[in-house]
Amino acid sequence: MAVNDYTIATLGSHSALQILKGAKDEGFKTLCIAKKGAEKVYRSFGVADEILLVDHFKELFSLQDELIKRNTILIPHGSFIAYMKIEDFKDLKVMYFGNKDVLEWESSRELERQWLTDANIKIPRIFDTPEDIDRPVIVKFYGAQGGKGYFLAKDTKDFHEKISDHINEQYVIQEYIIGVPAYFHYFYSPLNNELEIMSFDKRYESNVDSIGRISARDQFALKKIDPSYVVVGNIPITVRESLLPEIFDMGERVIEKSKKLISKQGLFGPFCLEGVITPEEDIFIFEISARIVAGTNLFEPYSPYTYIKYGKPMSTGRRIALEIKNAINNDRLSDIVC
Ligand code: AMP
Ligand code: AMP
């Protein structure tokens, strides 16, 4: 079958504009599953040949027959994980780009830690009990949506005071690394076994990115301003070129380790290492996202790095579509969808 016999579909949020635009540019039909009210966005930007309206993204599961009829390949992004349960995905019958077995590793903080540590990646120290806290920490809640509710604590006492607002929530206590945040976007192709650096971003978070606009004196006067980390957007960055070898190596180690730890063929497609770079130029990674991240939305039509490699528009969304196209043309689609 030819590329235009397939439909590339995704949920209307997060990085859908980029994914659908990339799919169109590579010659696919496109479909967007949008919540009522959001469809005007996808209509206005003209990226979706077809829009299916839902009240909730979970209705994806009842639309499966419709999707299968159209030879649909679903592209997962952050809203899949945020609004649905991983177990539900396992039973999904529609073609899904990526390895579903990776989801479990990505969403469990313990498995993620094992994966990164085994790959020889530096990660912030984790404190198993609050009594062990001996340095500044960041407390993160499970399933937190974009950093909501996270707080900083300077010692055990401070922790106990602040955790009292979060009864019955699961959390992890992580060493707070002082440095600059950076998110490294990669793409790994299992078709030619090549790892690509796509781009980098940092997040624009409310209110932590605006606290610096208030003087220390006024911060004291206003009394209680605790930083929060609710993401509202992204800011592009390039990194010192001398950091690129280490960034490549980290990505390669994560991929190699995933092949050993995770069933089927490990991690492939777009992924992101999320970390902090210290003044000593140590890179600490506090999280891995095993799918497209929204920070790549900045790089439409291309990032400095993808332009240098491809010499034409190549967003992460388009790179996904190109991978699927290459797989179709080489009769290898079953290697990249499940
Ligand atoms: P949304 O569909 O906007 O609710 O996003 C789904 C998930 O992706 C949430 O966990 C968000 O925090 C995360 N997310 C959405 N947009 C961004 C962004 N621009 N940068 C980083 N994370 C994002
Ligand atoms: P996350 O939701 O895990 O991506 O983190 C949200 C925000 O908290 C990001 O802006 C990170 O820069 C910051 N952050 C997360 N973990 C750490 C850490 N261990 N040290 C310093 N900053 C962190």
Side-chain angles (χ1 to χ4, degrees):
M1 279 199 294
V3 166
N4 63 4
D5 293 321
Y6 291 87
T7 296
I8 286 195
T10 197
L11 301 177
S13 192
H14 190 271
S15 45
L17 286 172
Q18 185 200 153
I19 291 170
L20 297 173
K21 167 75 175 144
K24 258 187 153 345
D25 287 347
E26 291 298 332
F28 289 93
K29 294 202 194 87
T30 57
L31 182 151
C32 180
I33 299 155
K35 283 200 214 159
K36 288 176 189 146
E39 77 276 17
K40 53 178 166 287
V41 174
Y42 302 95
R43 198 160 284 137
S44 162
F45 285 108
V47 291
D49 295 324
E50 199 179 349
I51 296 177
L52 297 181
L53 282 183
V54 293
D55 288 312
H56 192 284
F57 285 143
K58 280 192 195 122
E59 287 168 48
L60 162 69
F61 295 96
S62 53
L63 293 173
Q64 293 203 65
D65 290 341
E66 285 299 308
L67 297 175
I68 290 168
K69 252 191 255 165
R70 293 166 176 75
N71 252 332
T72 299
I73 302 171
L74 265 180
I75 313 296
H77 57 55
S79 306
F80 283 64
I81 313 284
Y83 304 113
M84 285 178 267
K85 291 206 285 295
I86 293 178
E87 304 86 69
D88 297 338
F89 284 114
K90 304 244 154 155
D91 303 327
L92 198 75
K93 296 190 297 286
V94 184
M95 285 186 279
Y96 171 101
F97 174 73
N99 179 358
K100 286 181 198 161
D101 293 348
V102 172
L103 292 173
E104 209 174 310
W105 283 78
E106 181 205 18
S107 59
S108 148
R109 295 216 189 254
E110 287 74 31
L111 290 177
E112 183 179 287
R113 191 166 148 193
Q114 183 196 341
W115 179 6
L116 294 174
T117 315
D118 283 7
N120 210 6
I121 302 285
K122 287 197 195 83
I123 60 171
R125 205 179 136 187
I126 305 285
F127 294 92
D128 291 327
T129 76
E131 277 56 47
D132 294 341
I133 297 174
D134 63 357
R135 64 193 81 182
V137 294
I138 179 164
V139 179
K140 302 179 174 185
F141 296 93
Y142 281 48
Q145 310 248 309
K148 214 171 191 164
Y150 290 6
F151 65 81
L152 298 185
K154 62 178 193 296
D155 53 28
T156 305
K157 181 167 170 284
D158 194 26
F159 169 86
H160 284 301
E161 276 168 22
K162 289 176 176 162
I163 200 73
S164 57
D165 296 338
H166 299 271
I167 300 159
N168 289 335
E169 286 180 62
Q170 269 193 302
Y171 57 80
V172 62
I173 306 173
Q174 238 179 40
E175 167 186 13
Y176 187 81
I177 307 287
I178 313 271
V180 289
Y183 291 64
F184 310 112
H185 314 148
Y186 301 89
F187 190 96
Y188 176 67
S189 165
L191 301 178
N192 60 13
N193 297 318
E194 189 184 342
L195 178 75
E196 296 166 36
I197 283 181
M198 303 301 289
S199 45
F200 309 113
D201 80 299
K202 64 176 192 167
R203 292 186 177 175
Y204 195 41
E205 291 163 329
S206 191
N207 61 12
V208 75
D209 286 318
S210 71
I211 287 178
R213 293 158 56 106
I214 304 172
S215 72
R217 188 199 60 200
D218 287 339
Q219 288 184 30
F220 276 117
L222 295 168
K223 295 242 168 51
K224 200 175 169 224
I225 307 183
D226 284 321
S228 59
Y229 299 84
V230 177
V231 64
V232 294
N234 307 80
I235 300 168
I237 48 182
T238 54
V239 300
R240 276 170 69 170
E241 206 154 301
S242 55
L243 286 170
L244 291 180
E246 173 58 8
I247 294 171
F248 259 115
D249 287 350
M250 289 193 319
E252 275 165 3
R253 297 200 298 270
V254 164
I255 291 294
E256 285 318 308
K257 210 29 91 177
S258 80
K259 290 182 183 168
K260 301 208 170 71
L261 290 175
I262 306 175
S263 39
K264 303 204 188 103
Q265 44 183 332
L267 172 64
F268 62 85
F271 69 103
C272 175
L273 295 179
E274 313 185 349
V276 174
I277 308 179
T278 69
E280 293 74 35
E281 292 181 55
D282 283 327
I283 304 177
F284 284 85
I285 299 298
F286 53 78
E287 184 138 7
I288 176 167
S289 287
R291 48 168 172 82
I292 187 170
V293 291
T296 61
N297 289 341
L298 288 160
F299 304 106
E300 191 71 82
Y302 37 53
S303 78
Y305 304 99
T306 63
Y307 181 74
I308 292 165
K309 187 166 175 70
Y310 288 92
K312 66 170 191 181
M314 189 56 66
S315 65
T316 292
R318 184 161 182 183
R319 183 64 188 83
I320 293 171
L322 177 63
E323 189 73 359
I324 297 173
K325 181 166 141 180
N326 289 340
I328 292 168
N329 292 338
N330 292 290
D331 234 356
R332 291 189 59 188
L333 190 56
S334 61
D335 288 348
I336 60 164
V337 300
C338 62

